Amino acid sequence: MTEIQKVAGTAFVVAEFRNDENKEAHPLYHDPFVHLFLDRESKKAADRISQSFPPIRNNVRLRTRYFDDRLRLQIDQGFRQILILGAGLDTRPQRIANEGVAYFEIDAPETQAFKKAKLEENSVDPNTTYVGADYLTDGMLALLRQSGLDFSLPTHVIWEGNTMYLDHGAVHRILTDLMSAIGRCSTSFDYFAEAVIRDETGDPEISSVVARFAAMGAPWTYGIDDLAELAARCGAKVLDRVTLADLHRTYWPDQPLASPLYGYYSLCTVENVVERA
């Protein structure tokens, strides 16, 4: 399965970067399952990506902590369904399992089959409903209904590491569909500023890592400069927004910022303005 090419292959690179935190003396999170998906090929691919731009590894480590914290907060606030779009090798259904909370994951069937097999081989309950599909083209809302997601229950959506591979139309459509169809819906996602996509940061290291992802067949194609405007157009309001630089200063205050990229990379959570009956 480990073909480290194109967008599906980036799941293995992300998993390698996420696994880095398990080696720290005081980790931001603990992921005891991610190593099940890794092998020599995934390590080589991750090393190739980070060779020209080592700070890219911190992106995943810091964003994992953000999405974990927001997920726990939403569960504490009564959200009983968690939907993970483009889930890749996400392990939150296993790491953050709560009684009465149902997980749903949408991703390519082959990725899900690989993940499910690795978990079950190691006696780990997947604790999720797999929806094997392309959420952009296969009719996301209909698939979710068919898979048992209850649109009347408060639902938190994790949309990690996806928007930068899409375009404005796709991002707008997905957010609008979620906000309009689910009674109470919050969505956490990450995104780059448009300057990164247009290669206008003036930083050669950023340009190099952008080129690396493009060469792997997974080019970054979409950025956001005005989050509030995008959210409003999709029927949502912004609950919070932080840059990777903010997170770096919070969790690693004694370490200097390793790259200007951290200021161009944001994480946010939005929620529908009007709850649907």
Side-chain angles (χ1 to χ4, degrees), residues 175-182 185 187 234-236 270-272 276:
L175 279 178
T176 300
D177 284 352
L178 292 170
M179 297 299 131
S180 61
I182 299 173
C185 181
T187 302
C234 299
V270 303
E271 185 174 35
N272 45 0
R276 314 292 175 178

Side-chain angles (χ1 to χ4, degrees), residues 22-240:
N22 288 323
K23 306 165 190 175
E24 296 295 315
H26 303 287
L28 299 177
Y29 56 85
H30 182 52
D31 189 335
F33 306 107
V34 68
H35 73 94
L36 300 176
F37 313 130
L38 307 179
D39 59 19
R40 183 178 303 175
E41 288 305 309
S42 62
K43 184 180 186 306
K44 285 165 59 177
D47 289 345
R48 284 197 301 271
I49 289 291
S50 61
Q51 182 179 12
S52 61
F53 189 63
I56 193 70
R57 305 185 83 103
N58 291 339
N59 288 26
V60 172
R61 297 164 63 194
L62 288 165
R63 85 183 191 195
T64 297
R65 174 60 185 263
Y66 172 86
F67 286 117
D68 283 3
D69 285 352
R70 175 49 77 167
L71 170 58
R72 290 189 172 97
L73 177 61
Q74 299 306 91
I75 291 174
D76 289 345
Q77 293 181 350
F79 285 73
R80 306 262 62 86
Q81 289 180 141
I82 312 302
L83 169 62
I84 308 176
L85 296 181
L89 301 176
D90 191 304
T91 60
R92 291 184 179 93
Q94 298 83 53
R95 294 192 292 114
I96 309 178
N98 286 69
E99 186 175 353
V101 174
Y103 281 88
F104 295 80
E105 300 182 39
I106 300 183
D107 207 343
E110 57 269 25
T111 301
Q112 294 185 335
F114 169 83
K115 179 160 67 169
K116 184 173 185 287
K118 288 295 184 181
L119 291 171
E120 292 181 344
E121 283 171 14
N122 290 273
S123 302
V124 179
D125 180 3
N127 188 41
T128 191
T129 297
Y130 291 117
V131 183
D134 184 333
Y135 67 85
L136 293 169
T137 61
D138 294 341
M140 177 183 69
L141 296 180
L143 286 168
L144 292 173
R145 283 196 183 92
Q146 293 166 12
S147 300
L149 190 137
D150 186 342
F151 285 24
S152 69
L153 290 179
T155 301
H156 180 57
V157 182
I158 299 173
W159 199 14
E160 180 180 4
N162 277 235
T163 66
M164 59 284 298
Y165 299 107
L166 307 179
D167 58 32
H168 177 76
V171 171
H172 183 276
R173 184 176 73 254
I174 293 300
L175 279 178
T176 300
D177 284 352
L178 292 170
M179 297 299 131
S180 61
I182 299 173
R184 184 182 179 194
C185 181
S186 59
T187 302
S188 293
F189 61 95
D190 52 333
Y191 61 92
F192 285 116
E194 292 183 8
V196 174
I197 307 304
R198 297 193 300 260
D199 195 17
E200 294 176 354
T201 67
D203 185 88
E205 286 190 328
I206 294 177
S207 297
S208 178
V209 75
V210 169
R212 285 269 181 178
F213 274 89
M216 202 172 93
W220 294 339
T221 53
Y222 177 66
I224 300 170
D225 279 348
D226 192 334
L227 175 65
E229 180 185 24
L230 172 67
R233 288 178 178 272
C234 299
K237 60 184 176 183
V238 179
L239 296 182
D240 71 26

Side-chain angles (χ1 to χ4, degrees), residues 21 43 108 235 246 273:
E21 196 64 20
K43 184 180 186 306
D246 296 328
V273 175

